[in-house]
Amino acid sequence: MSESTVIRAEHVSFSYGKNQIFDDLNFEIRSKEMVTIVGPNGGGKTTLLELLLGFIEPEQGSLTILGKRPGDASSLVGYVPQYAKYDEKFPITVLEVVLIGRVRNFFGFYTKEDREKAFEVMERVGIADLAKRSFSELSGGQRQRVMIARALVGAPQILLLDEPTANIDTFMSEKFFSLIEKLAKEKTVLFVTHDTGFVTNFTNRVFCINKGLHEHPADAVPGSLIHHAYGHEMRSIRHDIKLEQPEVIR
């Protein structure tokens, strides 16, 4: 494993009962790479995220994050779910949601440093003015920014984004992609999307997950193969070409 490798899968297999999801999965992701993960529903994208988050463990093989098992590396990973599950009747503010991303001290309350860090990341993602607003009052795009702030407030090295554009309107999307582009220069970012045809133009690698993993090139193509979505320029995915996945060496 090279010094720049942050995520490493070696011969990973996983199944739900008789339903084989992965068999002999091998890959490495390096520091500050932007990896877009595409694939059909049921192909294994969610399962891969759950493995990386330590929610489930491989049946065979090994998966490590900066040399640690995913369950021991939770502080290194920030996660933005597709949907923020919450009780709309529960009176929680934007600041309180963001603070959830901080590990509380022994006495169970947030420190001045926690709050300062929360305001710092809220300012960065453009929601500092919403700090006292109820989370339930926000638009889909605003909620997504709150969840990104919650993921960032713990200063993770890796950011997992699960279908992050699902609840964002066209007006908010250009700002959203601008934010992700900046974050991708600082952190390793895994961007999961159901769009199997196009990826954002600043992605480095494309993993197609469908009961296995194939890496495809994302061509910087001109003219008719450039697609504009979410107010942002996207590149085509070449599904007719599969890049060879090198054997992961111990």
Side-chain angles (χ1 to χ4, degrees):
M1 179 172 66
S2 69
E3 293 182 0
S4 64
T5 297
V6 294
I7 300 174
R8 178 175 182 263
E10 181 183 16
H11 304 301
V12 170
S13 296
F14 185 85
S15 61
Y16 290 106
K18 296 181 179 180
N19 184 18
Q20 184 82 49
I21 304 300
F22 296 124
D23 182 28
D24 199 33
L25 195 68
N26 295 278
F27 65 85
E28 289 189 359
I29 297 174
R30 293 175 289 276
S31 176
K32 298 181 182 179
E33 281 191 322
M34 167 79 173
V35 179
T36 297
I37 299 174
V38 303
N41 290 335
K45 300 191 302 296
T46 297
T47 300
L48 179 58
L49 287 184
E50 291 178 345
L51 286 166
L52 291 169
L53 290 165
F55 296 164
I56 55 178
E57 294 188 358
E59 294 174 346
Q60 295 180 4
S62 67
L63 183 64
T64 58
I65 296 176
L66 290 168
K68 300 181 179 181
R69 293 172 58 252
D72 299 325
S74 58
S75 63
L76 304 174
V77 180
Y79 172 55
V80 180
Q82 180 177 354
Y83 298 106
K85 297 180 180 179
Y86 65 97
D87 182 350
E88 292 199 14
K89 296 181 181 179
F90 187 74
I92 188 169
T93 66
V94 167
L95 175 60
E96 291 167 335
V97 172
V98 174
L99 283 169
I100 292 172
R102 296 290 285 185
V103 178
R104 291 191 180 193
N105 61 32
F106 180 78
F107 298 102
F109 57 84
Y110 296 110
T111 65
K112 178 182 178 182
E113 180 183 355
D114 290 332
R115 294 178 182 276
E116 289 176 348
K117 184 63 177 178
F119 273 102
E120 178 184 323
V121 296
M122 286 193 296
E123 182 71 35
R124 179 164 194 199
V125 303
I127 58 168
D129 59 325
L130 303 177
K132 295 182 179 180
R133 287 274 300 277
S134 171
F135 184 73
S136 64
E137 297 175 356
L138 304 183
S139 69
Q142 289 171 328
R143 289 177 187 172
Q144 199 69 297
R145 283 175 171 260
V146 173
M147 301 309 291
I148 291 174
R150 187 184 73 168
L152 293 176
V153 76
Q157 296 185 44
I158 300 164
L159 191 60
L160 306 182
L161 303 171
D162 187 8
E163 299 278 6
T165 59
N167 302 299
I168 295 180
D169 56 40
T170 303
F171 176 75
M172 290 296 296
S173 60
E174 190 168 356
K175 293 182 179 179
F176 173 80
F177 275 108
S178 177
L179 170 63
I180 299 305
E181 183 173 12
K182 291 176 182 177
L183 291 173
K185 295 176 181 178
E186 305 167 8
K187 303 178 184 296
T188 302
V189 177
L190 275 63
F191 188 108
V192 175
T193 176
H194 68 278
D195 190 342
T196 59
F198 294 88
V199 295
T200 183
N201 62 0
F202 53 85
T203 198
N204 300 118
R205 301 168 70 189
V206 179
F207 287 178
C208 183
I209 302 291
N210 188 11
K211 305 296 184 178
L213 184 152
H214 294 289
E215 183 169 355
H216 297 289
D219 290 344
V221 294
S224 61
L225 292 182
I226 291 293
H227 176 60
H228 291 269
Y230 314 110
H232 185 75
E233 186 176 278
M234 313 289 276
R235 286 187 287 165
S236 67
I237 300 173
R238 293 292 304 275
H239 289 282
D240 58 320
I241 300 175
K242 295 181 176 64
L243 303 181
E244 291 295 327
Q245 284 292 315
E247 181 72 10
V248 178
I249 307 298
R250 290 183 181 277

